[in-house]
Amino acid sequence: MAINESTMFNNSSLSSPVTGVTPEGDINGQLPCFLRHLQNKSSYDQAQDACSMYMNFVELGTGLTVVFWLTGLHIIISNAVVLWGIIRTPELRKQIYMFMANLAVADMLAGIGLIVRCQAVDRVGLSRLYFMMNIDTFLVYSQIMSASALCLLSISSYVAIRHPIFFHTHAHNGKRDASVAIVTSWLVQTMLGFLPSMGLNCLDMPDLKCFNFSPLPIVALKVTTMVLLLCVMLFTNTSVFLAIRERQKRRLGQPQGQNRASQNQANDAAERKYQSSVHKARTVMIQVVAAFIFWLLPLILIPACLTAREKCPFSNGISLSGPLLMSFNSVINPIASIIRTPDLRKSLRGDMTIIYQALFIIVRGNRVNPQEEQIPLNQRGGTGAASGSDQNMPTGQPAKGQNVAPLKRGRAGSLAIIEID
């Protein structure tokens, strides 16, 4: 059966709309083979038999599965910590921190997608293809939303550094403007990002010209959106970097006389605000550079390995680990936010102290024997055996300043032990 399907495939039309099929009719992967047979109106079982010779595009292997799980959990937990610190601290309810919280939510989507991706192996039949299509759409959507959040952060830093007067004049509307920008970005990107899951895909419409599961127009739209966001990030952060360097050069070239010192003292508050904006802008630049690296890395490695094939040492796993490589920027973003934001770090340190103290009290309470804390009957009210014990004490008054509490505590403990025995 597999031979007949392969023969029928090789004799089919050479102009295939499925990306991954060469003009000579050769297929370089299992997914293009599946899509090609579905275009030819073959059943799923027939496509499975004909495409079994290729590497399974769903199976990750034990090593990649563990890495997917660990990376996904780290992304979710670290970004949840950032989000919790921003929400819980009233001092962080400002425009820049709203954009930072937006980035944390977008990055959490990438962690969820990586964990859910590991469940694709359990799917069977045609539902496996639909599951993979939806999870790939979700992962791409998470990266577009992460790029959109970084773009908003970059624009905020650009306005704060390049146009500080405008920024501080409209600071009272900062939270409103940030809310409008965040909600608009989520609405627009969600409608565009989930078009394949709404029916515009190559499983429901197999006659379209496709790249994996998505038609080429949808792929072109997503690539164009991503490129525009990257261009905005590149322009704003480059402009901010040049503005910071230029200001540093001007300050170094100015005279440091006595009049200049008094002038600096008068403008000390404005300078502190500017330095705070510079510190935040550098944090955004670190996150943008990390995102560029991890987004460009799979775009370079995957085509290179697909071209080299057997010569590539990672040819068996590079195509499967592409979403993992692109999601590594979601690992860097929360770390940079926590390390380079003193107010956020202080808030999280206070929360950790409270949690530690609560756990310490719980553990200490479980270890203490309740009978050891009970007051013996002969010590209640100062009567009975307690008065007898007092009679056995040495006569005379203790010296001035002498502490007799340890002696009483020791005798009380010995009496309690005798009663327990």
Side-chain angles (χ1 to χ4, degrees):
M1 183 66 183
I3 297 177
N4 294 335
E5 289 294 331
S6 299
T7 304
M8 181 179 66
F9 164 72
N10 290 328
N11 293 333
S12 60
S13 173
L14 297 179
S15 58
S16 172
V18 180
T19 302
V21 181
T22 62
E24 293 79 11
D26 297 331
I27 297 180
N28 57 13
Q30 191 181 64
L31 178 58
C33 181
F34 267 105
L35 296 177
R36 179 61 180 271
H37 281 77
L38 293 177
Q39 287 175 355
N40 294 334
K41 311 302 180 183
S42 301
S43 65
Y44 179 84
D45 294 333
Q46 291 174 336
Q48 178 71 33
D49 293 337
C51 301
S52 59
M53 65 185 73
Y54 300 102
M55 183 185 67
N56 192 342
F57 70 97
V58 175
E59 185 68 37
L60 292 175
T62 304
L64 272 179
T65 301
V66 173
V67 174
F68 267 63
W69 268 97
L70 293 179
T71 306
L73 289 175
H74 174 77
I75 291 174
I76 294 173
I77 294 173
S78 58
N79 284 284
V81 169
V82 173
L83 189 62
W84 166 257
I86 294 175
I87 294 175
R88 191 181 182 280
T89 309
E91 293 80 5
L92 300 183
R93 295 171 187 173
K94 300 178 183 178
Q95 183 191 65
I96 187 68
Y97 297 109
M98 293 178 67
F99 289 139
M100 193 180 296
N102 178 44
L103 177 63
V105 174
D107 287 337
M108 287 176 67
L109 297 180
I112 295 172
L114 291 178
I115 293 177
V116 176
R117 171 64 179 81
C118 300
Q119 313 303 318
V121 182
D122 300 331
R123 307 285 172 157
V124 294
L126 194 59
S127 64
R128 183 178 66 166
L129 294 178
Y130 279 98
F131 183 86
M132 283 300 304
M133 179 195 68
N134 291 326
I135 193 60
D136 286 351
T137 301
F138 185 80
L139 285 170
V140 173
Y141 167 75
S142 69
Q143 294 308 303
I144 293 178
M145 288 308 307
S146 181
S148 177
L150 282 173
C151 185
L152 293 177
L153 272 170
S154 301
I155 294 174
S156 178
S157 299
Y158 172 81
V159 176
I161 298 299
R162 301 290 294 186
H163 307 282
I165 298 177
F166 177 85
F167 181 81
H168 292 293
T169 302
H170 296 81
H172 61 283
N173 295 327
K175 291 192 287 186
R176 184 200 63 185
D177 297 339
S179 301
V180 172
I182 291 171
V183 172
T184 303
S185 66
W186 279 89
L187 290 177
V188 173
Q189 299 299 339
T190 300
M191 288 189 294
L192 297 178
F194 286 102
L195 286 177
S197 298
M198 289 186 264
L200 292 176
N201 58 74
C202 295
L203 296 178
D204 297 325
M205 307 171 70
D207 295 331
L208 298 177
K209 195 172 184 63
C210 301
F211 180 83
N212 289 344
F213 295 107
S214 301
L216 284 184
I218 302 298
V219 175
L221 179 62
K222 292 182 178 180
V223 171
T224 303
T225 303
M226 195 73 172
V227 170
L228 289 176
L229 294 174
L230 293 177
C231 289
V232 172
M233 283 187 280
L234 184 63
F235 168 77
T236 53
N237 285 278
T238 302
S239 180
V240 167
F241 177 77
L242 294 177
I244 294 174
R245 291 290 300 273
E246 185 66 24
R247 185 181 176 92
Q248 290 176 345
K249 290 180 180 179
R250 289 200 306 265
R251 288 179 61 83
L252 292 175
Q254 290 175 352
Q256 301 296 326
Q258 194 173 23
N259 294 332
R260 182 62 186 169
S262 60
Q263 184 179 359
N264 285 341
Q265 186 176 4
N267 298 329
D268 188 53
E271 183 65 22
R272 283 198 302 268
K273 291 181 180 180
Y274 177 79
Q275 292 300 329
S276 176
S277 299
V278 169
H279 184 80
K280 296 171 184 176
R282 286 173 175 168
T283 303
V284 176
M285 282 190 280
I286 292 173
Q287 294 171 329
V288 169
V289 170
F292 267 85
I293 293 174
F294 290 115
W295 285 335
L296 294 177
L297 190 61
L299 296 180
I300 297 174
L301 293 180
I302 292 177
C305 278
L306 292 177
T307 303
R309 295 188 180 183
E310 292 81 6
K311 296 181 181 179
C312 179
F314 309 104
S315 59
N316 293 331
I318 188 65
S319 60
L320 297 175
S321 58
L324 178 66
L325 294 175
M326 295 186 69
S327 300
F328 274 155
N329 73 295
S330 299
V331 179
I332 303 298
N333 291 336
I335 297 176
S337 298
I338 294 174
I339 293 177
R340 295 189 55 83
T341 309
D343 294 336
L344 177 61
R345 193 168 61 250
K346 180 180 178 182
S347 175
L348 294 177
R349 188 184 297 114
D351 292 338
M352 293 298 296
T353 303
I354 294 173
I355 295 174
Y356 170 78
Q357 291 175 350
L359 293 176
F360 180 78
I361 293 174
I362 294 174
V363 173
R364 184 181 179 184
N366 292 334
R367 289 181 178 179
V368 173
N369 188 353
Q371 292 181 345
E372 295 180 359
E373 295 184 346
Q374 293 180 357
I375 300 176
L377 294 176
N378 52 15
Q379 295 291 327
R380 298 178 182 175
T383 59
S387 59
S389 63
D390 291 338
Q391 293 175 359
N392 294 331
M393 292 180 62
T395 59
Q397 296 296 328
K400 185 176 180 181
Q402 183 178 355
N403 187 6
V404 298
L407 179 60
K408 291 184 178 181
R409 284 199 299 268
R411 293 189 175 185
S414 62
L415 291 174
I417 296 174
I418 294 174
E419 287 185 358
I420 292 173
D421 293 337

